[in-house]
Each structure stands twice: as structure tokens, then as C-alpha cells.
Amino acid sequence: MVIDPVARSTDGESVRIARDVLCAGAGGSGAKICLPEGPEEFARALARRGQRRPVVIGDDRALLRVVGLLHRERELAGVPVSMVPVGAPAAVALSRSLGVPQDTVAAARTVLDGAERAMDLLTDDSGGIVLGGLRIPCGRDGGRNGGRWAAAGPGHRVFVPGAAGPVDAGEHTVGAGSAGADGPSAGVPGADGHRPWWGPAARTARSALALLAPAAGFWGSSRTESGAAGGRRVRVPEQRLRIEADGVLLADLDRPVRGVSVVPGGQAGTGWPGTGAGRGVGDGDGQGDGRDDGGELAEVVVHWPGGGHPIRARARAVTVSGADFHYRADAVVGGPVRTRTWTVQPGAWRLQLPRRG
């Protein structure tokens, strides 16, 4: 049982409940509790698990860290992963889309009594993985819930939902949002306890501009930041990209695209714009098994400027090329790169989910 430090600092009560349920359910077999303080200790705890099944208590970033470490050690296929989500709703959106219960007690009981489910994922040509889906562009705020990006290594950043000011990767501020929607300097007391005089004027100006700016939805030339004061809108630039799905050309550099989304096995649901509402087919319980009637393929959706009809395709491999571009894979932003290929790995990992029926 690996308890992420972010979970301990943000919701200690949920962590305690999950720990008690899991320890009681383990019975005579016992449960080993690990309390890592950083990524290095997290990796060591996972490496020393022996024959124990890893259980992560934390948010989506903790889940991605566990799956990524197992993938790098080439142990992912043989080690089922269990999770008890702890964090703000935006910080556990990936686990929710994968079918993990969001209630602490229900998730802990699923760890004890659930069933393993084979799940697809995407791997890229740099060794990265994608569990839920990816999109281009990644968006200025990285998501629809507001927040800031924190550095998480060369070429990668982690999205911290709800944080309004610059965030260091070592800070545990998921869902904090302490500086408000207008940024760290608008209306927030400074070190001397005084509020900047320009804060109200800045908010008024932004609200007036928001009312004049046209709304064009998530992928349009402008979009509303959820949670931003006054309906502040952020421009999403069009990009010239060459997009190929199993060698079939979907878009070329002579026509700009508004956005691209790629989802492994149709399992991202409503969390990813341009995809279907479900995660796959099966017995209709909404949990899915990471597969669908497309047959172990990724769903690719290309959106055009002006609201034109999007192009949809299913493929095993998707290649995107163009001028330096960024992409968001789950909770991580990658790039800039000029070309990247993502390939579906069917049934590459196993996740403990509620039993069907």
C-alpha cells in the first residue's frame, strides 16, 4: 500500500479511512504501508513490494507514476494495479473515467473484492504512456477546470488543478486555488497584507472584454475558462499538422486544424472532447474493459476551424508531425516536438475494478 504524499497532505481523513478498510480486509495476510516523501522513495517502495499487489492511495498523478514505473521495468503486464482515489474531483478525473469508484470506502472494497480488467494504453516513440487520452493543443490552462502547470522534468509539466499561481513540482497544492481565478497578483493580499489597488480594475476590464469576445467552444478560436471570474476566455490557436492513422492521411499542413484527440480503446468518455460518451461496450454497466467494437484500436478525431464536421478514424498507430507542438497526455504536457507516434498496446495493463453484474 503506497500512500502518495499529496493525498496525505490534502485529505488525511480519506487516507485514514482507506488504510483502515484495507488493513481490516487483508486479515492474516497483512498489509505493508509505505509513506514515501518524494518520487525516489515512491519508486523504491514499489520496487521492494516483493509478491505483494501494489495499491496506490492518491490522485491521477500517483496512478500514472505507478503505471509508468512498472512499464519502464517491463513488469506492467504481470502486475495488476489497484487504486483508491484521493484528491479534488479534477485531480482524479482519469481514474473516474477508467471506472475506479470515487467513494473512498467503495474504492477500498473494490481493491479487496473487485476483479482485474485488462486495459489498453498508448505508448509513444519516446517511451511515454497514455492511459486515458491525449489532445493537441494542450490548452493554455491545460484543462477546463483552471490551474497551473508545474515542472516535472525535462520537457514535461504536470497540471495542478485549481492552483492559480506558479506551482513548484514539489508543492502539494492540488485543488488549492488559494490565489483566486484572477491570478496571483489580482486582489490577493501581498506579504504586507495589503491588496493591490489595480485588482478590481483588472477584473472589470477582463469581464468587459469577455462580454465582447465571441464564444466558440472548447476547440474554437476562443473558449471560456471554467471557474474564471467574469467568464474570461482564452484563445486556442489553430495549428498546421500532418496527421496519419495507420498510414492513412487525415490532415496535412496545407489546412490548419483546430484540435486533435486520440483515445485508446474508446475508454476516455466525456473527459476528452470529440470522443464518444462511453468507454467501450460490454455488459452495459458503464465500467467497460478497455475494449470496444473497434477492436483494440484508438479513436482519432480531427477538428477543423469554423466548426466543420470532424474526421473520425480508428487506428493502431497515429503519427502527428508539424512545427514544434505540445500535447497533453492524461495529466502531463509533452513537447515541443516536431513528430510523435502513438501506438495502441491492447490489454497492456490490468486494473482492479468493481465486479460486473
Side-chain angles (χ1 to χ4, degrees), residues 103-315:
D103 176 74
T104 301
V105 174
R109 288 176 176 169
T110 296
V111 172
L112 299 171
D113 305 323
E116 298 174 13
R117 200 84 50 82
M119 309 289 285
D120 300 347
L121 58 77
L122 299 174
T123 58
D124 64 40
D125 45 16
S126 69
I129 61 172
V130 183
L131 304 184
L134 66 93
R135 69 169 179 253
I136 306 169
C138 60
R140 176 176 162 183
D141 68 344
R144 304 162 82 167
N145 300 296
R148 285 292 184 268
W149 294 100
H156 291 85
R157 295 179 294 165
V158 174
F159 181 62
V160 183
V167 179
D168 178 73
E171 295 178 356
H172 310 315
T173 56
V174 174
S178 58
D182 292 312
S185 62
V188 178
D192 58 358
H194 294 290
R195 295 177 181 271
W197 62 267
W198 62 83
R203 286 195 298 271
T204 301
R206 271 194 291 267
S207 298
L209 290 174
L211 293 175
L212 295 174
F218 185 81
W219 290 113
S221 58
S222 64
R223 63 181 174 83
T224 301
E225 280 188 6
S226 176
R232 181 159 47 116
R233 289 177 171 83
V234 177
R235 292 192 175 278
V236 178
E238 300 168 357
Q239 293 184 269
R240 295 185 180 272
L241 300 172
R242 180 181 176 89
I243 305 166
E244 299 173 85
D246 285 344
V248 177
L249 187 64
L250 302 182
D252 211 341
L253 301 175
D254 59 348
R255 183 182 181 185
V257 300
R258 189 172 51 169
V260 184
S261 63
V262 184
V263 179
Q267 63 191 42
T270 59
W272 299 93
T275 64
R279 296 183 57 249
V281 298
D283 54 9
D285 61 356
Q287 301 297 338
D289 61 356
R291 313 295 178 84
D292 61 14
D293 53 2
E296 302 176 353
L297 302 175
E299 181 183 13
V300 187
V301 184
V302 179
H303 297 262
W304 304 109
H309 188 70
I311 291 181
R312 298 175 181 269
R314 293 186 179 274

Side-chain angles (χ1 to χ4, degrees), residues 68-130:
L69 289 169
L70 293 173
H71 173 70
R72 283 194 291 273
E73 297 298 326
R74 301 183 183 277
E75 298 180 344
L76 184 58
V79 180
V81 177
S82 299
M83 180 185 186
V84 178
V86 175
V92 294
L94 171 62
S95 64
R96 180 171 59 250
S97 73
L98 295 174
V100 179
Q102 299 300 289
D103 176 74
T104 301
V105 174
R109 288 176 176 169
T110 296
V111 172
L112 299 171
D113 305 323
E116 298 174 13
R117 200 84 50 82
M119 309 289 285
D120 300 347
L121 58 77
L122 299 174
T123 58
D124 64 40
D125 45 16
S126 69
I129 61 172
V130 183

Side-chain angles (χ1 to χ4, degrees), residues 294-354:
E296 302 176 353
L297 302 175
E299 181 183 13
V300 187
V301 184
V302 179
H303 297 262
W304 304 109
H309 188 70
I311 291 181
R312 298 175 181 269
R314 293 186 179 274
R316 295 186 182 277
V318 180
T319 299
V320 180
S321 307
D324 293 347
F325 65 90
H326 293 81
Y327 57 91
R328 181 182 179 186
D330 295 324
V332 178
V333 167
V337 296
R338 294 194 173 183
T339 183
R340 182 122 295 169
T341 297
W342 290 272
T343 304
V344 178
Q345 305 296 335
W349 67 298
R350 290 178 291 161
L351 180 65
Q352 190 87 345
L353 294 175

